[in-house]
Amino acid sequence: MLSKAIGKKAARKIASKVVGRFIGRLVPHAGWVLSVKGVWDHRQEIGEITDQLTKNNKENNNNPMWYVR
């Protein structure tokens, strides 16, 4: 009977370590997924901002101090 109880406790510890390791390895991937989703959801605004920055850079190409106020 003692061996069965020890076996169950060991199995529970091993299972919790394996599950914990699995969840720990998923966390960075979940962060990447959320970051990519955020960029995808705001792609229109990001495109407008980069277009405006590109336009400003081209307009002020001959003035190296244009961004200094």
Side-chain angles (χ1 to χ4, degrees):
M1 289 304 230
L2 185 58
S3 64
K4 286 184 180 181
I6 292 173
K8 286 183 181 180
K9 286 183 181 181
R12 193 173 300 142
K13 277 191 174 186
I14 291 170
S16 66
K17 285 182 182 179
V18 171
V19 171
R21 191 178 304 132
F22 177 74
I23 292 171
R25 289 181 180 167
L26 278 181
V27 169
H29 299 292
W32 278 106
V33 168
L34 291 174
S35 296
V36 170
K37 184 186 180 320
V39 170
W40 182 258
D41 290 345
H42 298 287
R43 65 188 180 279
Q44 184 74 27
E45 293 87 354
I46 293 169
E48 291 171 1
I49 291 169
T50 55
D51 290 344
Q52 184 62 38
L53 288 172
T54 302
K55 179 182 170 191
N56 286 344
N57 286 338
K58 285 181 180 178
E59 289 175 354
N60 298 298
N61 192 22
N62 294 330
N63 184 3
M65 299 294 283
W66 71 270
Y67 56 88
V68 177
R69 295 180 191 240

